[in-house]
Amino acid sequence: MTSPTDRIRPADPVPRRLADVATAFGLTVASGGPSSEVLVSAVASDNRAVVPGDLFVALPGARSHGATYAADAVRRGAPAVLTDTAGARMLAGIGVPVLVADDVRGVLGPVAAWVHGEPAQHLTTFGVTGTNGKTTTTYQVDHLLRALGHRGGLVGTVETRAGDQVLPSRLTTPEAADLQALLARMREIGVDALTMEVSSHAVTMRRVDGIVFDVAGFTNLSQDHLDFHGDLPTYFAAKAELFTPARSRRGVVVVDDAWGERMAASAGVPVETVRTLPAPHDAPTADWTVSDVAPHGTGSAFTLRHTDGRELRTSTALPGGFNVANAALAVVMVLASGAAPEHVSAALDAADGLSARVPGRMEVVGAGGDGHPRVVVDFAHNTDALELALAALRPTTAGRLVVVFGATGDRDPGKRPAMGAAAVAGADVVVLTDDDPHDEDAAKIRAEVLAGAEAARASARAAGRDIVVQEVGDRAEAVRRAVLEAGPTDTVLVAGRGHETIQEVRGVDVALDDRVEARSALRARAERTPSA
Ligand SMILES: CC(=O)N[C@H]1[C@@H](OP(=O)(O)OP(=O)(O)OC[C@H]2O[C@@H](n3ccc(=O)[nH]c3=O)[C@H](O)[C@@H]2O)O[C@H](CO)[C@@H](O)[C@@H]1O[C@H](C)C(=O)N[C@@H](C)C(=O)N[C@H](CCC(=O)O)C(=O)O
Ligand SMILES: Nc1ncnc2c1ncn2[C@@H]1O[C@H](COP(=O)(O)OP(=O)(O)OP(=O)(O)O)[C@@H](O)[C@H]1O
């Protein structure tokens, strides 16, 4: 996890007059008027990230008001503060100009974009939203853009890439102040295309205000994050906002689920639709359709065909039908940006399709076939993703399918029993362990998942399937035992944390990388029984 002070920002920012910021956004002055010589060269909404010249934006938060940290921001060199009226009341006598906006969170993005010279307007920008597939799809878009000769920038759950600068991510979608600084740096180093994940939190919390995406993509919607959005329609509405003229110029929507059909129908921008599954009989014809899916290396080959006759055949290296959907979405998004179809086809052929590996997404740690089980690490951490990840691995598992997973603490407890049931429905051996408990009691989380698993196990038994369900709280031990006890034709899926290297347990960051634990257990097997 990176600290708030780690952020990618321009090396040579262009200072702007604070008075011009106040005028441009109609900001009132609470104290210490913005005299003409006060200059700002960037924006920060966390005092710990402030360097001299940063306009500190003190936001109201759920845990505290940013104005609490303004004095330290000024000590670090912030020449002025922008906040709301509540914050201004806390900052009397702070000794620097204090600008006031009624909706300071709403103005932050546009102010940061303005201070940095509207960097997004100088990049071709791609934003992907959806419950699952955002990370995978953005890696595929970036991979294709680079194959087409672009200098791509990538922002998402796993990492932030600006040219050769790479930082692990704290958030899937950064706060607006950090995001605009990042885009300004990208522009400064000649990046010409930005691909990023747009979480529903980010839209609701105005983090991408100040950007109008050239192409917005939608993967799917299923139950997740309802602890934040409250219910599915509200969650959908947050994502639907991305497909409005204020936030994007055009969209590409996967219509494999009803929410996708609804997204396409309600979009306020031109949208192309992509269908990768057989259409329900009354479904509208999609603009793009996937067909002729066939095994191809570790993933699938497929044909993408438009109603106007255009078609191309390509592949993805990532297993599972859902990764065909992600790959198809990625290709159509790049085509929707105006890339010439012949260039896209040639680039795909030269790159052997969308061969991008995505850290922690169906990442093969042990290929199997060497006397040891296949071991795959995936990020599936909700019911839909878990079902699909298990279904993706079942056809190529000759022996038993083993799943090691848990549920995240402090997130959407409603999905826990369903995840337990999904594991029993899709696997032969279920090893229930901890994910990131955060501040919740880990045993309580496991019990809630176990309740769903045991209920499903009873009905599986009645149907003649005897599923093994084990509970091993310590995740490293759970991975180790699952790999050591698996047979040579089994597959072990370790799901839920993917690329993550820190397990948050009651405020303590425990170093834990599922891939490292799985590799260690495979080595222990090899030492125990030399491969046949
Ligand atoms: C629900 C949510 O998104 N909360 C975010 C929000 O927290 P908050 O409103 O409680 O803010 P706060 O901690 O009270 O701080 C208030 C203000 O003081 C500032 N501050 C705070 C502390 C300090 O020492 N100095 C300082 O300046 C903060 O930067 C903030 O501007 O603002 C904080 C500062 O930017 C974020 O760190 C925090 O994200 C938390 C950590 C979080 O877990 N967010 C998750 C839910 C999230 O955003 N997830 C999505 C992906 C979801 C998915 O698809 O899986 C994401 O885009 O990552
Ligand atoms: N199109 C899809 N439909 C359903 N499940 C998917 C899809 N793509 C990926 N998944 C599953 O969801 C998991 C998360 O995938 P990915 O990280 O690409 O999505 P994400 O939306 O970025 O997730 P997060 O926002 O939590 O980072 C994968 O590990 C896989 O199990």
Side-chain angles (χ1 to χ4, degrees):
M1 302 291 270
T2 51
S3 78
T5 51
D6 292 336
R7 68 179 206 165
I8 298 176
R9 55 166 63 219
D12 301 309
V14 177
R16 311 295 297 257
R17 292 173 65 245
L18 183 70
D20 294 344
V21 178
T23 307
F25 292 91
L27 304 174
T28 54
V29 180
S31 58
S35 46
S36 59
E37 73 272 11
V38 174
L39 300 175
V40 292
S41 48
V43 175
S45 59
D46 190 308
N47 65 299
R48 295 163 292 188
V50 168
V51 300
D54 284 3
L55 170 64
F56 179 60
V57 180
L59 297 170
R63 289 170 289 198
S64 62
H65 195 296
T68 314
Y69 315 97
D72 181 66
V74 170
R75 274 193 295 276
R76 291 169 184 257
V81 179
L82 166 59
T83 188
D84 57 8
T85 44
R89 277 196 296 274
M90 296 165 66
L91 297 180
I94 189 144
V96 298
V98 175
L99 304 185
V100 182
D102 296 337
D103 174 12
V104 63
R105 190 169 259 286
V107 82
L108 167 57
V111 164
W114 192 91
V115 167
H116 283 295
E118 306 292 353
Q121 293 177 8
H122 301 273
L123 305 167
T124 304
T125 52
F126 300 82
V128 180
T129 194
T131 301
N132 291 310
K134 298 187 295 299
T135 301
T136 303
T137 302
T138 51
Y139 268 77
Q140 311 279 28
V141 170
D142 182 58
H143 172 78
L144 179 49
L145 290 171
R146 290 165 188 257
L148 285 164
H150 288 282
R151 190 168 159 75
L154 183 67
V155 180
T157 305
V158 175
E159 59 193 342
T160 296
R161 273 193 220 154
D164 53 11
Q165 270 190 288
V166 179
L167 269 183
S169 296
R170 280 189 303 128
L171 294 169
T172 294
T173 306
E175 291 287 7
D178 303 328
L179 182 55
Q180 293 296 333
L182 174 59
L183 301 192
R185 176 60 179 162
M186 288 185 179
R187 185 185 168 200
E188 189 177 67
I189 60 175
V191 168
D192 64 351
L194 161 73
T195 305
M196 67 179 284
E197 296 183 51
V198 182
S199 65
S200 51
H201 288 77
V203 177
T204 303
M205 299 184 78
R206 320 291 291 275
R207 298 180 191 163
V208 291
D209 288 28
I211 299 176
V212 179
F213 289 98
D214 292 296
V215 185
F218 176 81
T219 60
N220 50 62
L221 193 95
S222 60
Q223 177 173 339
D224 206 349
H225 310 304
L226 298 192
D227 52 333
F228 180 76
H229 295 289
D231 56 44
L232 272 173
T234 307
Y235 179 33
F236 172 83
K239 293 193 181 294
E241 253 198 78
L242 187 61
F243 298 85
T244 59
R247 293 186 183 285
S248 65
R249 295 184 177 84
R250 57 188 313 114
V252 180
V253 173
V254 176
V255 290
D256 287 340
D257 65 16
W259 292 108
E261 295 282 11
R262 190 166 152 184
M263 185 65 76
S266 65
V269 295
V271 158
E272 290 183 85
T273 54
V274 181
R275 190 183 301 288
T276 75
L277 298 175
H281 69 281
D282 57 350
T285 305
D287 299 306
W288 293 91
T289 304
V290 162
S291 62
D292 308 309
V293 178
H296 177 90
T298 54
S300 315
F302 60 92
T303 297
L304 196 49
R305 189 172 290 113
H306 193 279
T307 51
D308 65 10
R310 279 179 290 164
E311 75 170 60
L312 63 87
R313 182 153 183 85
T314 189
S315 62
T316 172
L318 297 173
F322 57 82
N323 274 312
V324 171
N326 295 334
L329 174 59
V331 172
V332 177
M333 285 183 74
V334 172
L335 288 168
S337 70
E342 62 276 14
H343 293 166
V344 170
S345 292
L348 286 168
D349 292 346
D352 184 24
L354 290 153
S355 50
R357 303 287 170 176
V358 184
R361 273 71 179 164
M362 301 305 265
E363 184 172 344
V364 180
V365 173
D370 54 358
H372 302 293
R374 173 171 61 165
V375 182
V376 177
V377 171
D378 188 53
F379 196 48
H381 51 273
N382 54 48
T383 309
D384 193 41
L386 195 56
E387 280 170 1
L388 286 160
L390 288 167
L393 296 171
R394 172 64 76 181
T396 50
T397 298
R400 299 174 307 166
L401 183 49
V402 182
V403 63
V404 181
F405 82 107
T408 311
D410 297 342
R411 296 278 195 285
D412 208 358
K415 69 185 178 188
R416 291 170 186 167
M419 286 181 74
V424 166
D428 302 305
V429 179
V430 173
V431 182
L432 176 57
T433 185
D434 292 341
D435 189 290
D436 284 353
H438 292 296
D439 293 327
E440 265 198 83
D441 171 13
K444 171 181 165 293
I445 299 170
R446 294 198 306 270
E448 291 172 11
V449 179
L450 202 56
E454 290 299 350
R457 188 170 175 230
S459 51
R461 193 181 299 116
R465 290 181 64 229
D466 191 11
I467 311 301
V468 174
V469 176
Q470 300 166 346
E471 181 182 359
V472 181
D474 178 276
R475 190 173 180 103
E477 178 55 24
V479 172
R480 183 174 180 77
R481 277 172 53 177
V483 172
L484 287 176
E485 292 169 11
T489 61
D490 292 350
T491 293
V492 179
L493 168 66
V494 182
R497 302 178 61 252
H499 65 288
E500 293 176 349
T501 57
I502 296 290
Q503 186 184 40
E504 295 176 22
V505 186
R506 290 196 182 286
V508 177
D509 285 352
V510 176
L512 179 64
D513 183 328
D514 291 348
R515 297 161 299 177
V516 169
E517 300 304 325
R519 271 195 286 273
S520 161
L522 283 169
R523 274 198 304 278
R525 279 182 68 106
E527 285 151 18
R528 177 185 73 181
T529 53
S531 55

